[in-house]
């Protein structure tokens, strides 16, 4: 075999570095009344764990944000306000968290998510999903829906609603208990149309399930 034709393995040190901001759903973090400075751990499949600071801390369950106003046909929907926690920015180019393969790039401020946009989340889990977690009947083969544990899986769906206040959106991705905090990225525009070069870019954060047909995500400010 011609060794010159073999693709050279690229080390992380050779990838471009970017400023990185850890992000998760606030309700994933322990809420401590006496502590304003919290930390969490980011785990990688192919590397060591990274301890990062999340100074915004956990969620305040006293406040609520309107996801959908009440209409004649539908009840109002609400969610815990500001359920996204941003960590301290990381700019050290020697840390793998700042390397492109570890990061999502946010869509620009001018981008507007629309109903019908195709979106997805990437999930790696080390546990088995139960039918209770998935709110699925026992007859459903969960591996057919969610893939296997200990491997990266991409779940897709579409935007079903965007709130009038521009803070939240509803989507149909087949998530399960434990997906909160996943980055939601754009797959395609409406009706499968190209998304003007924004494919793969982060549009928001998945935070939970609303009902049998809708999940909720927060848009970036």
């Amino acid at each position: 075999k011609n060794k010159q034709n073999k693709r050279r393995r690229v080390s992380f040190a050779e990838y471009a570095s970017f400023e990185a901001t850890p992000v998760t759903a606030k309700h994933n973090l322990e809420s401590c009344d006496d502590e304003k400075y919290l930390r969490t751990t980011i785990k990688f499949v192919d590397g060591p764990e990274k301890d990062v600071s999340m100074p915004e801390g956990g969620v305040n369950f006293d406040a609520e944000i309107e996801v959908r106003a009440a209409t004649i046909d539908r009840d109002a929907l609400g969610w815990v306000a500001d359920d996204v926690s941003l960590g301290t920015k990381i700019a050290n180019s020697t840390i793998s968290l700042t390397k492109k393969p570890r990061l999502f790039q946010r869509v620009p401020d001018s981008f507007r998510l629309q109903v019908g946009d195709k979106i997805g989340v990437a999930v790696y889990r080390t546990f088995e999903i139960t039918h209770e977690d998935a709110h699925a009947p026992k007859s459903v083969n969960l591996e057919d829906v969610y893939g296997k544990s200990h491997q990266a899986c991409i779940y897709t769906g579409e935007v079903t609603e965007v709130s009038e206040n521009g803070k939240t959106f509803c989507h149909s991705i087949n998530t399960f208990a434990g997906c909160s905090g996943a980055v939601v990225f754009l797959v395609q525009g409406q009706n499968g149309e190209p998304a003007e070069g924004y494919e793969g870019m982060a549009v928001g954060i998945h935070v939970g399930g609303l009902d049998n047909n809708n999940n909720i995500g927060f848009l970036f400010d």
Side-chain angles (χ1 to χ4, degrees), residues 181-203:
V183 173
V184 180
F185 58 88
L186 191 64
V187 177
Q188 289 179 317
Q190 295 173 310
N191 303 315
E193 295 295 323
E196 299 180 9
Y198 299 139
E199 291 93 341
M201 298 180 72
V203 298

Side-chain angles (χ1 to χ4, degrees), residues 8-55:
R8 184 173 65 88
R9 184 181 178 89
V10 179
S11 70
F12 254 91
E14 295 180 68
Y15 280 107
S17 295
F18 300 85
E19 187 175 74
T21 303
V23 60
T24 189
K26 275 190 176 179
H27 68 257
N28 287 341
L29 300 173
E30 181 180 359
S31 182
C32 302
D33 294 335
D34 298 330
E35 296 289 338
K36 294 182 179 179
Y37 187 82
L38 296 180
R39 304 185 71 83
T40 192
T41 300
I42 297 177
K43 298 181 179 180
F44 297 109
V45 178
D46 57 350
E49 298 179 352
K50 299 292 185 182
D51 189 42
V52 297
S53 61
M54 306 295 290

Side-chain angles (χ1 to χ4, degrees), residues 93-190:
S93 62
T94 65
I95 297 176
S96 64
L97 277 175
T98 65
K99 300 299 183 180
K100 189 174 182 179
R102 301 284 197 213
L103 305 176
F104 282 99
Q105 181 180 354
R106 279 178 51 170
V107 289
D109 293 340
S110 59
F111 177 83
R112 293 294 178 265
L113 194 67
Q114 301 181 70
V115 172
D117 283 347
K118 312 301 181 184
I119 53 176
V121 296
V123 176
Y124 182 95
R125 58 185 171 85
T126 58
F127 57 88
E128 297 300 324
I129 302 172
T130 67
H131 287 81
E132 182 179 0
D133 290 335
H135 302 287
K138 297 291 185 181
S139 59
V140 174
N141 185 330
L142 296 181
E143 194 170 289
D144 289 344
V145 180
Y146 297 107
K148 297 180 180 180
S149 60
H150 298 279
Q151 70 177 30
C153 297
I154 293 177
Y155 308 134
T156 60
E158 66 179 48
V159 177
T160 56
E161 297 179 50
V162 178
S163 63
E164 292 184 3
N165 57 29
K167 299 290 187 181
T168 65
F169 64 98
C170 297
H171 65 84
S172 62
I173 297 174
N174 54 322
T175 57
F176 54 89
C179 288
S180 296
V183 173
V184 180
F185 58 88
L186 191 64
V187 177
Q188 289 179 317
Q190 295 173 310

